[in-house]
Amino acid sequence: MEDESERPIGSFEGSPPIGILRRPLRCIVKLGGAAVTCKHEVEKINEEDLGRVSSHLRQAMMGCGPVTEVLGMDWSRGAGAAGIDSISDFNEYAIPNLESLIIVHGAGSFGHFQASKSGVHKGGLHVPIVKAGFVATRISVTSLSLAIVRALAREGIPAVGMPPFACGWSTTERNVASADIYQITQTLNAGLVPVLHGDAVLDNQQGCTILSGDVIIRHLTQQLRPEYVVFLTDVLGVYDRPPANPKAVLLREIAVEDDGRWSVVSPLIQQATGEGVEITVAAHDTTGGMGTKISEAAAIARLGIDVFITKAGTDHSLRALRGELLGASVDDWLGTAIRPAQRPLR
């Protein structure tokens, strides 16, 4: 019998095979829903911000600037698509060697309204309003995911949508119980970029729940061990109080101990522990908001993996995506680095 203490972090009874990656996973990116949607307008995408983020992801993956030739992979008839006439352009086109990457995006102004109004996150799939809300939530979040996949494809990124519900993710008491990691490793080995998202899933105890993108990232990190993780948000990082507060201070670096305790390394503020940091969550957010982000990022750092939280579409986010901050000082960078304690910087 397997010793419980020897089981890999994040594994669970009956877990399917993970598969072997042909090359190390460079990065897992969490694209915050608020960074690419208009959070005060239900189901509205911020096309400009989404386009900028997609361009930065291409530059980070391909090691090239914004002027490099790009052949889009969205051959649909929809707005922004390259169109089927572009297919012939690929005859003599060599797709650049890409960094291995997984993208997980949040829902933003998609899905949260439907989930909170129907109580999907609380379970009770046998209740008519919950069942209807489950369906409505999935319609909403998958429509956003399609828009994001198309935006990435227009930048020449071979992105493929992998909705957790459809890919066999489920929970028990809102903790991950099953996840088809093998399908993700095979997708990466094929040179494709998996795109997952927060989703409504089945729960073995309460019938259904909302599986947040942050929890998905933590599970993927435990199983696949990327070099680093980047959270792209609509603010520069984690603050000691709500960012709208004029007295809010950006926490530049947080150190996480082996036992999970974390403290602010920079700047030196009076509230130097997690208990002193004020966290707020929007009334419609069913996934925990920034509080969940910090706890999940700290859990990732405990694995020995650096986490960077910064504003999407900025030079700071591009540097983080490129891995320039890995093991380096963050003095000239705006964002929050969450790292294992006692790690020396180069």
Side-chain angles (χ1 to χ4, degrees):
M1 179 181 293
E2 181 186 25
D3 184 349
E4 289 289 335
S5 64
E6 296 298 318
R7 183 176 296 145
I9 296 175
S11 66
F12 44 82
E13 292 289 351
S15 58
I18 294 174
I20 299 175
L21 287 172
R22 293 175 186 166
R23 56 177 177 164
L25 178 61
R26 176 68 167 167
C27 178
I28 296 180
V29 176
K30 167 61 189 300
L31 176 55
V36 293
T37 69
C38 302
K39 55 186 177 181
H40 298 302
E41 299 184 53
V42 176
E43 296 191 343
K44 183 174 182 180
I45 297 172
N46 188 321
E47 300 288 354
E48 182 178 352
D49 287 352
L50 177 56
R52 188 180 301 112
V53 169
S54 300
S55 176
H56 280 184
L57 284 166
R58 173 182 60 80
Q59 293 175 53
M61 291 181 63
M62 299 182 181
C64 55
V67 297
T68 303
E69 179 187 17
V70 176
L71 291 183
M73 298 181 183
D74 180 3
W75 296 343
S76 66
R77 291 291 190 186
I84 58 176
D85 293 338
S86 67
I87 296 177
S88 61
D89 295 336
F90 279 84
N91 290 336
E92 298 181 3
Y93 179 70
I95 297 177
N97 186 35
L98 307 176
E99 295 283 3
S100 186
L101 180 76
I102 295 175
I103 298 171
V104 181
H105 68 81
S109 62
F110 288 71
H112 285 300
F113 172 81
Q114 292 85 348
S116 63
K117 288 296 183 182
S118 60
V120 170
H121 57 296
K122 298 178 182 178
L125 200 56
H126 61 284
V127 179
I129 184 60
V130 176
K131 182 171 291 185
F134 187 94
V135 173
T137 299
R138 295 215 66 253
I139 290 172
S140 185
V141 296
T142 54
S143 67
L144 171 63
S145 191
L146 175 59
I148 290 175
V149 168
R150 289 188 61 201
L152 295 169
R154 289 195 292 269
E155 286 290 333
I157 298 174
V160 290
M162 302 183 71
F165 174 83
C167 293
W169 289 66
S170 65
T171 60
T172 297
E173 296 181 342
R174 305 182 72 173
N175 295 312
V176 175
S178 179
D180 192 351
I181 305 298
Y182 181 78
Q183 186 178 7
I184 294 174
T185 59
Q186 293 301 96
T187 300
L188 289 167
N189 288 338
L192 300 168
V193 177
V195 179
L196 292 83
H197 57 83
D199 203 357
V201 298
L202 300 180
D203 185 277
N204 296 326
Q205 294 295 323
Q206 62 181 42
C208 62
T209 193
I210 298 297
L211 178 63
S212 78
D214 297 328
V215 173
I216 291 171
I217 284 188
R218 178 181 178 182
H219 189 75
L220 291 176
T221 302
Q222 290 170 334
Q223 300 291 342
L224 301 177
R225 303 297 172 108
E227 293 182 41
Y228 56 98
V229 174
V230 178
F231 284 75
L232 300 178
T233 72
D234 60 332
V235 293
L236 281 174
V238 178
Y239 291 79
D240 67 337
R241 64 200 73 193
N245 189 318
K247 296 182 179 180
V249 175
L250 176 65
L251 307 182
R252 305 288 295 278
E253 188 165 359
I254 294 174
V256 181
E257 303 290 344
D258 291 341
D259 61 4
R261 289 182 300 113
W262 55 272
S263 59
V264 180
V265 175
S266 175
L268 296 177
I269 58 175
Q270 185 175 2
Q271 301 101 330
T273 64
E275 289 78 8
V277 177
E278 181 182 347
I279 301 299
T280 58
V281 179
H284 65 275
D285 194 339
T286 58
T287 60
M290 188 58 75
T292 300
K293 264 184 193 57
I294 295 176
S295 62
E296 297 298 339
I300 292 170
R302 287 183 67 189
L303 302 176
I305 298 170
D306 286 358
V307 180
F308 303 100
I309 303 177
T310 190
K311 188 172 183 177
T314 64
D315 290 341
H316 307 291
S317 66
L318 183 55
R319 289 183 61 193
L321 290 170
R322 284 175 167 166
E324 295 178 9
L325 304 167
L326 194 60
S329 170
V330 294
D331 290 345
D332 63 343
W333 177 76
L334 290 180
T336 302
I338 302 179
R339 290 168 159 157
Q342 309 304 323
R343 170 177 290 178
L345 301 181
R346 63 171 183 258

